[in-house]
Amino acid sequence: VALAYFRWTGAFLIGLGFAWPHLKRDWPVLRRQWKLMLLLSATGIASYNTMSYIGLTETTALNVLLLQSAMPLVILVWAFGLFRDRPNLAQAGGVLVSLAGVATIAAQGSLSILLHLSLNPGDVWVLVAMVIYGSYAAMFRHRPRTHPMSFLVATMGLGSCMILPFFLWERASGATIATDWQAFAALAYIAVFPSFIAYLFFNRGIELIGAARAGQSMHLMPVFGAVLAVAFLGERFHVYHAIGIALIAAGIVLASFKPRPT
């Protein structure tokens, strides 16, 4: 919880300087749609990362990777349930092909590893977090029509406030965090890149191409993870990496096709 709290509080403070002129102009719109802002902040900021971090303390990275690869499917289900959006054949096929690529990388090309995975309490935390975040991506189309910086900073600030009581409870229970320079450097990185910059880009992506197609980008996480592991951790690049990357790329290309109007 502390990691999630400092992540979003730090991102809020960083973004506030950039967003302040827009935030002052857009404040009446944000205040008028305060119920929607609270809902988007709770689902997209406060819940997802906090629950994912809790889950990661009780499960393996392999399990989480496989679970998160289902996010595009979760978004499609929410979009259908809330707005009756029906994915076309190319979208549905693209998601399934990319999902096969993710499974290939996560299971290291072994069907035995894939079949012997099992759910534990940590997996449940991550699964619930994904379902909640999927609703954020689907509902994003109805966000207040403000400058992207205004919306992002407002949701980060609200999300941080929502996490605060749980952070205080965690501290009161005796939990502590590391206070060395490596820990602070890690927090700074998380606040700037995965939080402020990545969310700004992802939100813009949803605006431009819709939640379903933007959600496909999450299938690229194991690809980037494999490349970074080879570059920085000295791990070997295997054939199953190449097969998985090819399937993911094919799925994303397939999902990008739009049916021709008849």
Side-chain angles (χ1 to χ4, degrees):
V1 179
L3 177 57
Y5 174 72
F6 285 118
R7 166 181 182 162
W8 292 118
T9 302
F12 169 75
L13 294 175
I14 292 168
L16 188 60
F18 296 99
W20 184 247
H22 309 292
L23 198 58
K24 288 193 297 182
R25 184 191 64 236
D26 295 334
W27 180 247
V29 179
L30 295 170
R31 185 176 56 187
R32 188 163 56 247
Q33 300 189 50
W34 64 272
K35 292 182 180 179
L36 178 60
M37 288 297 297
L38 288 177
L39 183 59
L40 292 172
S41 300
T43 54
I45 302 295
S47 300
Y48 176 60
N49 294 116
T50 306
M51 298 176 74
S52 296
Y53 292 156
I54 293 173
L56 277 166
T57 65
E58 300 184 55
T59 189
T60 65
L62 177 58
N63 279 24
V64 173
L65 183 62
L66 283 174
L67 288 171
Q68 287 192 330
S69 67
M71 181 67 81
L73 289 174
V74 174
I75 295 173
L76 288 177
V77 171
W78 271 110
F80 175 77
L82 292 174
F83 309 112
R84 290 298 181 265
D85 289 354
R86 296 180 182 274
N88 58 52
L89 188 60
Q91 278 184 322
V95 168
L96 293 177
V97 171
S98 292
L99 192 59
V102 172
T104 301
I105 294 175
Q108 301 176 15
S110 170
L111 184 61
S112 175
I113 293 177
L114 194 62
L115 293 177
H116 285 85
L117 291 173
S118 59
L119 289 176
N120 59 50
D123 298 325
V124 175
W125 276 101
V126 175
L127 187 59
V128 174
M130 286 172 46
V131 172
I132 292 173
Y133 188 80
S135 68
Y136 166 83
M139 292 186 296
F140 186 84
R141 69 180 71 179
H142 293 300
R143 75 168 184 84
R145 294 302 157 197
T146 63
H147 191 279
M149 294 287 282
S150 302
F151 172 78
L152 179 62
V153 168
T155 53
M156 291 191 301
L158 289 170
S160 177
C161 291
M162 293 176 184
I163 299 171
L164 179 58
F166 299 96
F167 165 63
L168 295 176
W169 172 81
E170 185 181 63
R171 289 297 302 272
S173 68
T176 59
I177 62 172
T179 55
D180 52 34
W181 73 267
Q182 292 98 330
F184 289 122
L187 284 172
Y189 171 82
I190 292 171
V192 174
F193 293 97
S195 304
F196 178 62
I197 295 178
Y199 260 69
L200 187 65
F201 285 8
F202 187 67
N203 287 349
R204 181 58 176 161
I206 295 177
E207 284 187 57
L208 293 175
I209 62 175
R213 290 175 63 195
Q216 278 285 93
S217 65
M218 294 190 177
H219 280 155
L220 291 170
M221 292 174 63
V223 176
F224 295 139
V227 172
L228 291 171
V230 171
F232 294 104
L233 302 179
E235 296 187 6
R236 294 180 59 191
F237 190 87
H238 297 277
V239 174
Y240 64 78
H241 286 124
I243 296 173
I245 290 171
L247 286 170
I248 291 170
I252 291 175
V253 171
L254 180 61
S256 300
F257 287 141
K258 292 184 178 180
R260 292 181 179 180
T262 57

